Amino acid sequence: MIIKKAGTAALATLVMGLALSACASGENNATPNQDSGSATSEQNKKYTIRAMNILYGPAPPEDGSGKKAIEERYNIEFEYIPVTSSEYTNKIGVTLASGDIPDLVLFPNLDQKYFSAVESGQFVPIEAYLNDAEAYPNLANIPAELKKILTYNDHIYGVPRLRGVALHTVVLRKDWLDRLGIEAPKTLDEYYEVLRAFKDKDPDGNGKPDTFGPAVGTSDNGITFMNAVTSMFKGGPWNMGQWVDDGQGGIVPTEFSPTAKQAYAFLAKLYREGIIAPDFSIKKDQQVEDDFLLGKAGHHAAAGYTYYSASRFEKAVAANPQFELLPIEPLVMPDGSQGYMKSPGFFGVFAISAEAAKDEGKLKRMLSMLDDQISEEGGLFFKYGVEGEHHTTENGEKILTELGSREGPGQYMLTNPPQEGDWILTAKDTPEIVKLKQASYAAALLGEPYLNEAEGLFSPTNAELGAELNKIVADGTVSIVMGQQPVDYLDEIFEQWKRRGGDKILQEMNEAWKARNGG
């Protein structure tokens, strides 16, 4: 990957990092006076910073070389506390209850634990710092739309882990399309014909009627792996928590949106015609993914640029060397609309504990760290580490060493630059994966992409009753798709959902939504 020249803000951040390093080694040439003396003293002070983060793979070495490089960059003692993803939710609860709260805590979701913690004063508001472009140019440059989403009771309590705004796209087996001589669909009718051909016309060429259109399954939240289709309809099944305009000046879950019945009718048609596997209702995530990767289905609708990985691609190619994928642009729907739902551009926030914030110097050091990590210069440091140790440079490109892959700074990273352009790629991506990620990202943002209206909103009733109510919706909507109930049964599901507490959820979510939007 060609390394881009750092921008002004990134260079300013790099200077800050170098200044900290220089001060740590005693290299300070400031003219002695009260102000510079105070600043120098602050820069020389070494803070111990504890950060709890979610872990999706093997834990990095406790004292790895990447961690030491981070400590030198920021003049800190860094206590990195990685917690496996399967244990993280429970760990947050235990940590908050213990009172021994790390200085920085990742909240992967803006959920009940997060809102309860900020309301109880365990974490501090930081919006004044996020608006200080001189001290924190990169934090100040976080999009206003995202800051609005993060605002709760007029305050922002966390620095977001930035992600790309592209979300799910429909992905088709391009080798199947090519074998059948079919172009990528542009409209809903063309899309249906593609799915029917995947079922009827032996796209894998094995002479057996053993393929289907979409890879579909279910969970406790209902029908899965159809998110991108749902978003084009602006209604229908999702893994809950997605809300859209209700056409009456408010918002409503996608399952009950004004266009939800159209989506369920379409899925019911696919099931009735055998285009969806007859046993989809008992398939879970890994089974559904394997249906797609191993050649049973030619359609995946919960794939975004983050979906592509070497392990998935290798698994698919091992099963079929001709395996090739094509992310498609959003379809032109019958009402003329065209667009996938997009991401708000973040995945979780790092909140700063009230105890740590009692020392403003420490608070500012943590904010400077996070500001640096979302800069281009800081992002490159965490991606590639130290020259000659974590990476080498060949023909102008940085190549990770084995040590860099195992314990480089990126293994201890808290946040990152906005995930767009080259930043959606990793050092381990093959040329094929690079191509797929770029194509998927671009397709996701064609037409008129739109946001989930519930981002950043909180309903206490949903926190209490949501899982129980989701089961009602899941069971009812699966029965519609399987033809056990007519599409109009959705009205009865909605009424039952409201009677069991959904009416209170509607009220709380709409009040929060209107308050945020000045309504």
Side-chain angles (χ1 to χ4, degrees):
M1 181 186 305
I2 304 301
I3 304 304
K4 296 180 179 179
K5 182 178 179 181
T8 302
L11 288 173
T13 303
L14 177 60
V15 170
M16 175 276 297
L18 293 175
L20 289 176
S21 298
C23 291
S25 61
E27 298 175 9
N28 178 43
N29 298 316
T31 303
N33 59 53
Q34 186 174 0
D35 292 337
S36 64
S38 175
T40 300
S41 175
E42 172 57 36
Q43 291 172 341
N44 275 321
K45 187 171 182 179
K46 178 174 284 190
Y47 291 101
T48 296
I49 294 175
R50 302 167 62 216
M52 190 169 87
N53 198 6
I54 196 167
L55 182 70
Y56 291 104
E62 187 172 339
D63 292 311
S65 58
K67 177 172 171 284
K68 293 175 183 176
I70 292 170
E71 292 177 328
E72 292 176 5
R73 185 175 182 86
Y74 300 128
N75 188 28
I76 62 172
E77 294 288 342
F78 190 37
E79 183 178 338
Y80 185 70
I81 309 170
V83 181
T84 59
S85 57
S86 61
E87 299 175 2
Y88 199 83
T89 298
N90 182 61
K91 180 66 173 179
I92 285 183
V94 171
T95 299
L96 296 177
S98 73
D100 181 21
I101 301 175
D103 306 314
L104 286 163
V105 175
L106 173 71
F107 286 88
N109 303 294
L110 304 188
D111 56 11
Q112 183 179 22
K113 288 184 174 64
Y114 170 78
F115 289 107
S116 295
V118 299
E119 286 184 346
S120 66
Q122 290 178 297
F123 297 92
V124 295
I126 58 173
E127 66 276 354
Y129 300 99
L130 298 187
N131 293 325
D132 186 347
E134 182 176 353
Y136 312 106
N138 302 293
L139 294 179
N141 201 39
I142 292 172
E145 184 179 57
L146 177 49
K147 289 183 179 179
K148 180 180 177 181
I149 288 172
L150 296 175
T151 299
Y152 178 67
N153 289 342
D154 298 323
H155 294 295
I156 297 176
Y157 290 89
V159 174
R161 292 200 308 173
L162 298 177
R163 293 291 185 267
V165 294
L167 198 57
H168 302 296
T169 58
V170 168
V171 178
L172 302 176
R173 285 283 300 267
K174 184 178 184 300
D175 55 313
W176 285 15
L177 290 173
D178 292 345
R179 178 187 292 270
L180 299 176
I182 302 174
E183 297 290 329
K186 301 291 185 182
T187 68
L188 186 64
D189 287 342
E190 292 176 359
Y191 170 68
Y192 163 75
E193 293 297 337
V194 167
L195 298 183
R196 190 172 68 171
F198 282 177
K199 186 260 183 182
D200 291 340
K201 297 187 177 180
D202 191 26
D204 60 356
N206 69 355
K208 301 176 182 179
D210 58 355
T211 55
F212 301 97
V216 186
T218 62
S219 72
D220 289 343
N221 287 330
I223 297 169
T224 58
F225 286 75
M226 292 298 283
N227 295 353
V229 177
T230 300
S231 70
M232 290 188 292
F233 273 102
K234 293 185 174 64
W238 200 289
N239 290 335
M240 308 303 177
Q242 315 300 319
W243 291 57
V244 293
D245 190 332
D246 66 2
Q248 300 176 358
I251 58 175
V252 68
T254 57
E255 292 83 7
F256 306 121
S257 78
T259 55
K261 287 185 180 180
Q262 298 173 29
Y264 287 118
F266 182 77
L267 295 178
K269 178 182 179 181
L270 298 184
Y271 180 81
R272 185 171 62 250
E273 297 181 5
I275 295 171
I276 291 175
D279 59 347
F280 87 92
S281 64
I282 62 172
K283 289 181 182 254
K284 303 306 176 186
D285 286 2
Q286 191 58 57
Q287 293 171 291
V288 182
E289 185 173 295
D290 284 349
D291 278 352
F292 181 64
L293 294 178
L294 302 181
K296 291 298 182 183
H299 170 291
H300 191 300
Y305 70 94
T306 56
Y307 168 82
Y308 304 105
S309 66
S311 60
R312 283 189 174 106
F313 200 77
E314 288 167 2
K315 184 175 186 177
V317 171
N320 185 340
Q322 284 72 48
F323 181 85
E324 189 175 0
L325 300 181
L326 177 68
I328 68 167
E329 63 186 59
L331 304 172
V332 177
M333 302 300 282
D335 64 358
S337 65
Q338 181 188 25
Y340 292 120
M341 184 179 282
K342 64 180 180 179
S343 161
F346 80 107
F347 176 50
V349 298
F350 272 99
I352 297 176
S353 75
E355 184 64 28
K358 290 179 180 178
D359 184 334
E360 189 175 22
K362 184 173 183 175
L363 169 65
K364 290 181 176 179
R365 184 70 59 83
M366 288 187 283
L367 289 167
S368 293
M369 287 172 52
L370 296 171
D371 184 84
D372 179 48
Q373 289 186 30
I374 68 172
S375 73
E376 183 170 6
E377 197 68 44
L380 290 173
F381 165 75
F382 276 89
K383 191 171 186 177
Y384 294 107
V386 178
E387 173 80 31
E389 183 177 8
H390 301 119
H391 75 268
T392 58
T393 302
E394 300 177 12
N395 300 319
E397 295 191 19
K398 295 181 185 294
I399 308 297
L400 283 178
T401 63
E402 190 277 333
L403 181 70
S405 296
R406 187 177 70 250
E407 58 181 66
Q411 302 298 316
Y412 310 86
M413 180 175 62
L414 302 180
T415 187
N416 45 262
Q419 300 293 278
E420 54 192 19
D422 284 352
W423 289 107
I424 70 174
L425 308 175
T426 73
K428 298 178 181 179
D429 288 342
T430 64
E432 185 64 29
I433 292 173
V434 168
K435 178 182 175 183
L436 281 170
K437 282 187 174 183
Q438 291 173 335
S440 184
Y441 196 98
L445 297 181
L446 293 174
E448 296 182 357
Y450 64 96
L451 274 172
N452 167 23
E453 296 288 353
E455 293 289 356
L457 303 183
F458 178 64
S459 161
T461 304
N462 190 54
E464 178 185 356
L465 301 177
E468 175 187 336
L469 296 181
N470 287 353
K471 188 69 165 57
I472 294 172
V473 179
D475 290 346
T477 53
V478 167
S479 73
I480 290 174
V481 172
M482 296 182 71
Q484 297 165 351
Q485 295 287 352
V487 172
D488 285 343
Y489 181 61
L490 186 65
D491 297 330
E492 184 174 332
I493 299 171
F494 193 23
E495 290 305 315
Q496 185 180 0
W497 180 83
K498 288 189 288 187
R499 287 194 303 270
R500 300 282 290 272
D503 55 350
K504 188 67 173 175
I505 296 173
L506 281 172
Q507 177 185 339
E508 291 169 354
M509 290 294 287
N510 276 274
E511 287 176 352
W513 178 75
K514 289 174 181 177
R516 184 170 70 187
N517 290 284

